[in-house]
Amino acid sequence: MTPSPLVEARDLVKEYGQVRALDGLNLRVNPGDVYGLLGPNGAGKTTTLRILSGLEVPTSGSARVAGFDPATQGVEVKRRIGYVAESAILYESLTPREYFEFVASTRQLNHDAVAYASSLAQAFDAEGASYDVPIGALSLGTKQKVAVIAALMHRPPLLLLDEPLNGLDAKSSKILKELMLIHVERKGAVIFSTHIMEVAESVCTRIGIINDGRLFAEGTMGELRSLSGTSGGSSLEDVFLKLTNEERFVEETLERLRSEGT
Amino acid sequence: MNRSEAWALSKLSYAELVYRPLLSTGLPIKYAGTKKSVHQALTGATLNKVIFAMFTMGGAVFPFLIYKLAIEAISLSVTTALSIILGFGYLVLYSVQVLPTFVTSGSFGPLAALPLEPRERSLVALMTLWRTLDYILVLSLATEFATVAYFTGSLAAASLVFVVSLSSSVLAVALAIRLIALFQNRLENTSTRGGKGLASIRGYFRPLLFVLWGLGVMSAVFLFSVISALAPPLNLVLTHPDTPLGVAASLIFPFSAGLLVSNFLGFGIGDLSLVLAGGGVCLVIFGAAAVSWGVPRVLDRIVVEPARRSQTGWARGADQYFFRVRGRLSAYVRKDLRVASRNPATGFLFALPLFEILAVVIPVTATSVVRVSALIVGSQVGGSFALFTAFLLVTVEDLGVERRTALPIAASVRTLSKVLVSTLTYLPVPIALSAILLFIKPPTFGGGIFIPVAAVATVFAACVIEVTVLNTLADWGRGTAVRFIAGVGSGELIMVIPSFAFTVEYVATHDRTGALLVLLGVSAVECLFSTLVLRTLRARGSNPRGEGLA
């Protein structure tokens, strides 16, 4: 029996004035999936995640997240997701402790969840003393850690992570990747966008390649390889460039730069 | 780089300065994603500047109108001084609101990366500063000059006031930059020292900011009340230069300028006052010149040195990561209070109760008996403070994070939190008025004591409507000026309705008790209506159609 999907999007279209960011996107993510959303800059990855998290309304099309429509049932959706934005959206005048207190209170976390959140905070960093410093004064990476912890602390069924490894150090990146895997082992799901192909290759159970607002290739790594006609040993980067028709462009550009360099 | 090149570069920096905060607030703009959106943002910024310039122009003219129409016994010295100080206050108020983006939005990031000499960067930054304040400075200085020339007929007096106002404007901008830098430095120092955060802002700074903002708000809303209350004692002080207080007042800017204008027009102020006032004015002009010399350096530092970032970790023991979970509304109110107290543009909110009491009590106690009309006006005055608080809470809330966060917060909680904080700032008014009526000066009508108390319900309702209108207009992508006029205007309308009903009933029946009952009834209906609005918001949840597109 096919499990009921945690995310199902149909014919999503999003227009910003004259610009069409999404052009009939379809998406289905089941419990247990780590779904990697890959695509060139401006392909529509962030817009997709923002629509799924209830922060934007599609121009047309529909979406269901954990059984709720993010466009009309935003609170219900937000209760069931953890969202990390491309650039951390935080109250910069609050300290991490105050911000976590605020997030935990709005989510009405119980004692166990607070203990889990404290463990997360400790796991991501335990050496200094900036837990009581305004977020605005923290480095980009530390801000990202705050955003990640705030998204994970209530152990939601669905994680929507937009470039979550931005600015994170190696240790924190490793912890986050492992947490994503633990999350899907517990029948949660993760959708995350990234430009780091190695990460997508090592973590994702399924990968969707998005370009010009459309999902034009989707599947496991093996399925994508066969779809692109690349060899078994090809990296995701090769597959991606092949599928987005950018392989030839990259080769020609590099050739020209080499000749200009000499 | 020559001046025209710097001027062209400053246009880019200014566009960044205007556009970046708009993007980060997540407020939709009509032509988002196109070049027109930048044009639209710049047009909106110009509109904001023009509207604010009208405030400063009004502040320059109003004291002279009172002087000319002899509404209050006010001398020319005090008139001139008040006109200048209002312009100063407004400019600081505006600068503190707008200039933080100089420091925080990264608008100068691209400029800092260019291979420019410090002098060139300073020039561009200075020109960007000019673009930020141009309409306000030009219109307020021109108005000051024209007003003094028109009302006094003296070109010399007008020229003197122009020079003094120009110096005062320089000092106002410098003071605003200093205040912002203090906030920013505190943020940076805290991060490097690992202190307790902005919650522990130094005691000496906060009162200063409060006084400054309080003056601005008082002058904006209660100009007449303040002038009528302050003019007589100021007149007295300035006409007695032989007393220590008179000597000090003669020297202090802007009274020194006022005295010099009086002297130009043949009002004898005495040799001592003339010398002291001349000294006071020179001091201000030299001070402004010195500050002008230093401003480019400060601006260059802002451009070149972005805020230092903490590279440290968080805490040591596992127990140190603990935090408390509170009720949703309680947590939201705490968050609103924290964010407001740590923003230079809203820090003064916590001083509002003090200024409210002053602004309400001074006019009420200035009369021999406390009339019902004084109680109604006093309540309206206090309510206006609350509406202003609500506007600020909604507008400068950490660049609109609440509109972009994926937390499950219903619109009703967000609205109610800000309404509660705003209504709380009104509470000192009924308490102060009740204390006056019970212990100091009984009202002409015993039931009058219920008027400021009933106004609590009206203020609550007015804030609910105001915040709802502000949020709705933000959803529609309207600019700050439009939101201010429509939001505060709708709140004021709700505030006025019970008083209007009281007046109509009293004029028709001459029955104060009946009119009071009508007032109480209308207030109750308004409160009920606002509760229904909140329930509607709750039912709507956090639908992004209602929250605003981010």
Side-chain angles (χ1 to χ4, degrees), chain B residues 511-548:
Chain B
D511 175 13
R512 281 176 176 162
T513 307
L516 177 66
L517 288 173
V518 168
L519 181 143
L520 293 175
V522 172
S523 295
V525 168
E526 284 185 338
C527 194
L528 196 67
F529 175 68
S530 64
T531 312
L532 288 174
V533 170
L534 284 173
R535 285 175 69 94
T536 309
L537 288 175
R538 191 175 175 187
R540 218 169 58 168
S542 73
N543 172 8
R545 287 182 207 279
E547 284 185 340

Side-chain angles (χ1 to χ4, degrees), chain A residues 54-238:
Chain A
L55 287 171
E56 297 220 23
V57 180
T59 308
S60 65
S62 64
R64 304 292 288 181
V65 174
F68 296 94
D69 181 353
T72 56
Q73 296 167 295
V75 170
E76 294 304 324
V77 167
K78 288 171 182 175
R79 283 200 180 114
R80 290 160 177 82
I81 63 165
Y83 173 64
V84 175
E86 189 178 17
S87 51
I89 300 167
L90 303 162
Y91 288 101
E92 303 231 330
S93 53
L94 298 185
T95 66
R97 187 191 303 279
E98 289 167 350
Y99 183 66
F100 294 151
E101 178 187 304
F102 170 65
V103 173
S105 302
T106 56
R107 293 194 179 281
Q108 287 295 288
L109 298 191
N110 58 27
H111 186 266
D112 287 348
V114 171
Y116 177 65
S118 302
S119 300
L120 281 175
Q122 192 180 14
F124 275 101
D125 206 317
E127 291 169 357
S130 57
Y131 200 56
D132 293 305
V133 167
I135 290 169
L138 300 175
S139 67
L140 178 70
T142 314
K143 281 182 187 175
Q144 189 71 357
K145 288 177 192 172
V146 173
V148 166
I149 293 165
L152 298 179
M153 66 165 68
H154 56 298
R155 287 184 274 208
L158 177 66
L159 292 175
L160 298 171
L161 310 176
D162 196 354
E163 301 282 354
L165 304 178
N166 267 354
L168 290 188
D169 52 39
K171 183 187 74 179
S172 302
S173 294
K174 176 73 178 168
I175 291 172
L176 180 57
K177 284 185 279 183
E178 291 301 321
L179 283 173
M180 284 159 65
L181 296 175
I182 294 169
H183 183 73
V184 295
E185 277 169 17
R186 293 175 178 167
K187 295 297 167 200
V190 180
I191 303 180
F192 83 108
S193 74
T194 182
H195 287 290
I196 309 171
M197 300 292 165
E198 293 79 7
V199 174
E201 202 168 347
S202 65
V203 175
C204 296
T205 54
R206 287 167 66 223
I207 292 167
I209 294 180
I210 186 171
N211 200 7
D212 291 333
R214 287 183 180 183
L215 191 71
F216 68 95
E218 187 187 37
T220 62
M221 195 58 209
E223 288 167 347
L224 288 177
R225 277 194 190 105
S226 62
L227 198 65
S228 64
T230 51
S231 64
S234 312
S235 68
L236 180 58
E237 192 170 84
D238 298 330

Side-chain angles (χ1 to χ4, degrees), chain B residues 498-516:
Chain B
S499 311
F500 182 72
F502 177 94
T503 309
V504 168
E505 176 68 16
Y506 181 69
V507 167
T509 63
H510 292 281
D511 175 13
R512 281 176 176 162
T513 307
L516 177 66

Side-chain angles (χ1 to χ4, degrees), chain B residues 241 246-248 250-252 256 271-281:
Chain B
V247 169
S250 304
L251 189 63
I252 291 172
S256 48
D271 290 343
L272 179 62
S273 282
L274 185 62
V275 171
L276 290 170
V281 167

Side-chain angles (χ1 to χ4, degrees), chain B residues 229-272:
Chain B
L230 290 183
L234 286 175
N235 282 335
L236 198 66
V237 168
L238 289 177
T239 48
H240 290 84
D242 47 338
T243 62
L245 207 57
V247 169
S250 304
L251 189 63
I252 291 172
F253 172 81
F255 299 113
S256 48
L259 285 169
L260 282 190
V261 168
S262 293
N263 192 59
F264 271 133
L265 295 173
F267 298 98
I269 61 169
D271 290 343
L272 179 62

